[in-house]
Amino acid sequence: MKLTIIGSGYVGLTTGTCFADVGHQVLCVDNDERKVKSLQEGKIPIYEPGLEPLVRKNVAARRLRFSSSIEEGVDHGEVLFIAVPTPPQDDGSVDLSFVEKVAREIAQYLDSYRVVVDKSTVPVKTGERVAQTIRRYAKPGVEFDVVSNPEFLREGSAVEDLMKPDRIVIGGNSDRALALMQKVYEPFVAPVLVTDINSAELIKHAANSFLALKISYANALSEICEVAGADVLKVVDGIGTDKRIGRAFLNAGLGYGGSCFPKDIAAFIAISEQLGVPFSLLKEVQSINQRQITRFLDAIREALWVLKDKQLAVWGLAFKSNTDDVRSSVAISLVEKLVAEGANVTAYDPQAMEKAKELPVGSKIKFANSAMEAAEGAEALIIATEWPEFAAVDLAKLREVIRTPLIFDGRNLLDPGSATNFGFQYRGIGRGINAERTAE
Ligand code: UDX
């Protein structure tokens, strides 16, 4: 099928590439001409495992093309996917101006029937607005349908999430459009859930909010574990083995970050308020999340007394492992706070250092070439992102290079017993039993 993806960011680029890889003829459109040019040369602006070779393969096979012309996009695709940013506004509500602009642009070039798909994460009822906008700006009598088809990809495993999805959600009210959407997804082996547009839009916000709720649940438990002298890892293993609960997304830590959860939870709160049914549970999810970083900083201050002029090693800057994305990264917030209190930070991240250097805080810290180099001479080590290589650290070597053996493990990557045996004072999240135990 001929498909057009409008917006070649994280979602658009990965979706378009995977569609091409299953055999569709895909045109990815973006209004950033520099980006389009570099994509045409096979250069990917993000680090996403498996994506770059897949882009190259499908460009070479002539199934994947890039353009900055929306007119060409509307002409090319039987189905037009809108995958433009939906950034948050100051009050948490979603800025839909990019979606609205694309709807007007599509309308301008629409000559014959097209399915217009909302792929971006949008508030419930956006589909109705998109349809209304296209109708208003299109030539009289031209036919189209609007469909909601939310994405559920995670950064770091985006290609796999797209190729082997848990489910495909298609929301629409026209048989003609739904039949075309079924055809788009025919090559994918996954259950397809067909709903009305509003339900499909809600599924996306409801899913992300529930995942964030699970994380905040584990984080709230971590606080109780610290005070009660229990280990949150054991508690979540104990509850997660219940199939009704599930172990995924119950890792306590510094809290969730990234370009989706913080934004989507804030948006869902705003949407529920606009609908007149405030989702107050989600406010608690947010505040538990914020409390994690505050509690962690308190623990660092408590141990180090004064942060000013302290030499601190920070492992991890990305908002999670397997990505170079530092948007709304809790690791970055933590570094900003440490720097604001006068600490000298040397950071290391396997992928995110280039992006971190571009941030204001990037000029105020040092960057090391390896995790061990960052720890050299440090008065404490702080682990802020869950990269697997940090969990595999050689503790004996770390003990040799670090100045004072203090570890603050914001992602519970290390075993407290092993760290203690190597002479470290270890503090994880919600690990009450070992929290203050030292080898002395
Ligand atoms: C998320 C959703 O998972 C995905 O379905 C949606 O399409 C987009 O938003 P993403 O933001 O890429 O994906 O990352 P995710 O793996 O969900 O992690 C989000 C944050 O939660 C990270 O900061 C991560 O460190 C944190 N997290 C995750 C925890 O603190 N504990 C966990 O148990 C899981």
Side-chain angles (χ1 to χ4, degrees):
M1 285 178 85
K2 287 183 164 183
L3 307 178
T4 294
I5 318 284
I6 301 165
S8 301
Y10 222 107
V11 171
L13 179 61
T14 322
T15 308
T17 307
C18 291
F19 281 162
D21 202 55
V22 297
H24 296 307
Q25 293 294 323
V26 179
L27 181 69
C28 286
V29 177
D30 202 283
N31 60 4
D32 180 345
E33 296 205 12
R34 267 181 37 210
K35 190 197 259 183
V36 170
K37 202 162 174 293
S38 76
L39 284 167
Q40 282 165 340
E41 289 162 5
K43 289 185 207 134
I44 312 299
I46 47 173
Y47 169 78
E48 181 60 42
L51 185 59
E52 198 161 283
L54 213 61
V55 170
R56 293 215 168 126
K57 175 185 154 197
N58 286 286
V59 168
R62 298 177 178 279
R63 285 190 298 262
L64 180 62
R65 290 188 300 119
F66 300 96
S67 166
S68 54
S69 161
I70 209 152
E71 182 175 5
E72 191 186 345
V74 176
D75 182 54
H76 169 84
E78 299 162 69
V79 182
L80 316 174
F81 290 83
I82 304 179
V84 294
T86 49
Q89 309 192 95
D90 288 344
D91 64 354
S93 66
V94 182
D95 175 0
L96 289 166
S97 57
F98 298 109
V99 175
E100 194 264 354
K101 185 164 174 273
V102 168
R104 276 189 284 123
E105 287 170 341
I106 290 174
Q108 189 186 340
Y109 299 115
L110 210 58
D111 281 321
S112 57
Y113 181 75
R114 295 287 183 269
V115 179
V116 179
V117 183
D118 268 335
K119 195 76 183 156
S120 308
T121 301
V122 291
V124 62
K125 291 176 178 291
T126 300
E128 289 173 10
R129 289 292 203 174
V130 168
Q132 189 184 58
T133 304
I134 296 177
R135 207 170 294 122
R136 193 172 288 156
Y137 288 90
K139 297 173 194 82
V142 68
E143 286 184 292
F144 68 93
D145 279 307
V146 172
V147 161
S148 166
N149 171 221
E151 54 75 26
F152 301 100
L153 60 87
R154 287 165 297 176
E155 293 185 21
S157 54
V159 172
E160 207 192 316
D161 287 348
L162 262 153
M163 290 306 215
K164 294 181 201 147
D166 284 349
R167 80 303 207 184
I168 291 157
V169 175
I170 303 173
N173 46 18
S174 132
D175 290 343
R176 187 179 183 187
L178 290 174
L180 277 170
M181 289 303 288
Q182 300 266 15
K183 216 171 132 198
V184 170
Y185 282 105
E186 220 167 59
F188 297 85
V189 183
V192 177
L193 198 72
V194 176
T195 70
D196 56 281
I197 300 184
N198 289 351
S199 300
E201 288 168 339
L202 269 177
I203 285 169
K204 178 62 202 261
H205 274 121
N208 272 1
S209 299
F210 191 78
L211 292 170
L213 176 126
K214 278 190 92 174
I215 298 170
S216 279
Y217 190 85
N219 283 333
L221 279 176
S222 76
E223 200 170 348
I224 292 175
C225 286
E226 280 166 26
V227 178
D231 185 347
V232 74
L233 246 80
K234 300 207 172 91
V235 177
V236 295
D237 282 347
I239 64 172
T241 39
D242 185 328
K243 285 196 195 70
R244 294 169 301 174
I245 297 173
R247 176 64 181 80
F249 279 71
L250 281 178
N251 290 325
L254 290 177
Y256 57 78
S259 64
C260 291
F261 283 173
K263 164 176 98 85
D264 289 352
I265 280 73
F268 205 19
I269 290 171
I271 293 162
S272 67
E273 281 166 2
Q274 278 160 16
L275 292 170
V277 276
F279 204 155
S280 53
L281 176 65
L282 296 184
K283 288 203 168 158
E284 192 54 26
V285 169
Q286 266 183 334
S287 73
I288 292 167
N289 200 54
Q290 281 148 10
R291 206 157 63 230
Q292 285 304 91
I293 186 167
T294 308
R295 295 197 311 110
F296 193 64
L297 271 165
D298 286 348
I300 296 173
R301 277 193 215 101
E302 170 63 26
L304 296 179
W305 189 17
V306 170
L307 293 183
K308 191 168 182 307
D309 297 331
K310 289 270 154 61
Q311 180 59 40
L312 304 178
V314 175
W315 286 0
L317 295 166
F319 85 94
K320 67 171 193 179
S321 61
N322 284 322
T323 180
D324 64 350
D325 198 344
V326 291
R327 287 175 295 170
S328 299
S329 166
V330 183
I332 295 288
S333 307
L334 187 71
V335 170
E336 283 168 350
K337 290 184 169 70
L338 296 171
V339 167
E341 293 193 34
N344 300 317
V345 171
T346 302
Y348 171 74
D349 188 286
Q351 289 295 338
M353 292 199 287
E354 288 313 308
K355 294 224 162 124
K357 280 176 191 167
E358 291 163 18
L359 300 175
V361 78
S363 59
K364 296 178 188 151
I365 62 172
K366 286 193 187 131
F367 293 91
N369 292 315
S370 69
M372 220 37 98
E373 188 186 307
E376 274 169 27
E379 292 166 89
L381 164 65
I382 296 164
I383 303 178
T385 308
E386 61 273 40
W387 284 98
E389 73 166 75
F390 301 155
V393 61
D394 178 345
L395 285 167
K397 193 161 173 225
L398 180 66
R399 180 64 191 88
E400 275 170 33
V401 303
I402 204 165
R403 184 165 163 199
T404 32
L406 282 169
I407 299 177
F408 298 92
D409 184 357
R411 296 290 173 182
N412 286 344
L413 291 188
L414 304 182
D415 172 50
S418 308
T420 306
N421 289 340
F422 278 96
F424 287 96
Q425 189 175 333
Y426 174 88
R427 193 192 190 281
I429 303 276
R431 315 193 82 177
I433 293 169
N434 297 291
E436 298 302 329
R437 211 171 81 192
T438 66
E440 292 150 27

